[in-house]
Amino acid sequence: MTVAQGRQASGRKGGAPLRRVPVQERSAARVQRMLDACAELVDELGYDGLSTTLLAERAGVAIGSVYQFFPDKRAVVQAVTVRNLETYLQHISRRFTDGGLRHWWDGVDAVIDEYVEMQRSTPGFRGLHFGDIVDTHLLDEHRDNNDVIVGKLRDVLVERFDLTADERLDFALTIAVETGDALIKLAFRRTPDGDPAVITEAKALIRQYLANYVTV
């Protein structure tokens, strides 16, 4: 989470509740270490095993530094989840604007591939996903996290592939996101790195489903 992101989140009722926005580089770096430590500990111990004391020890900061910026461990986990979600959306946006995707179904593959890659390589992501275990309304108090993702995906699909933006597309993307989320979780339950057969089927199923709704 950058300083600007922290400021944006702290001023948003559905965002990560930073007590104090780090304005100096040293403070911002300290917050980053806390988030990194939190992600590592969630992978190792799960949310229930996490404590602010362990977090402070892993991050190499005083326990008072944790409470200077976060009221409790839940707030730190929320901040990690916001960071993961923003990173995912940035990756998707980059893939969609790089020019390598020729058709909307290439975009479906890119969305799934980026999600799978974060599951494999991003600390804390597999245990937290997009905040399921903590708060389903991290970015918007009126919409859950997947609804926010649907809106972002709709915007980039419409812009990149000249799709028709309407309620049918929103509905179809909602079904696609929820289905893809469930199937990818299944893939990672089957094998530690995600069962390639399940991931391939997820892509095919979602492309086939969206083909009934997507119009250009």
Side-chain angles (χ1 to χ4, degrees), residues 47-193:
Y47 177 71
D48 290 339
L50 176 69
S51 71
T52 52
T53 300
L54 288 173
L55 191 152
E57 292 175 355
R58 179 65 61 89
V61 301
I63 188 67
S65 292
V66 176
Y67 291 117
Q68 182 181 13
F69 293 101
F70 300 100
D72 50 33
K73 75 171 187 178
R74 182 178 183 275
V76 187
V77 171
Q78 281 184 292
V80 172
T81 308
V82 169
R83 184 175 70 170
N84 286 343
L85 180 51
E86 291 176 345
T87 298
Y88 175 71
L89 294 174
Q90 288 168 5
H91 288 175
I92 294 301
S93 179
R94 188 177 306 118
R95 289 283 297 272
F96 274 54
T97 56
D98 280 348
L101 308 179
R102 293 176 292 180
H103 199 279
W104 66 262
W105 56 65
D106 296 324
V108 170
D109 288 355
V111 166
I112 293 175
D113 287 341
E114 291 294 341
Y115 189 92
V116 168
E117 181 57 31
M118 288 193 71
Q119 285 270 86
R120 289 172 175 162
S121 62
T122 302
F125 188 79
R126 190 178 299 194
L128 298 175
H129 297 104
F130 289 134
D132 306 19
I133 68 169
V134 180
D135 187 349
T136 59
H137 294 80
L138 285 176
L139 295 185
D140 190 314
E141 63 181 310
H142 302 297
R143 298 187 297 161
D144 66 30
N145 299 330
N146 277 354
D147 281 343
V148 174
I149 294 172
V150 166
K152 297 290 186 181
L153 293 178
R154 179 200 60 227
D155 291 344
V156 292
L157 280 168
V158 169
E159 180 180 356
R160 176 66 179 80
F161 299 111
D162 295 325
L163 303 183
T164 301
D166 53 25
E167 292 184 1
R168 293 177 74 254
L169 179 60
D170 283 356
F171 176 77
L173 288 175
T174 297
I175 299 298
V177 166
E178 296 290 348
T179 301
D181 187 38
L183 288 175
I184 292 170
K185 287 176 181 175
L186 170 63
F188 280 88
R189 289 200 304 270
R190 289 171 65 94
T191 64
D193 287 329

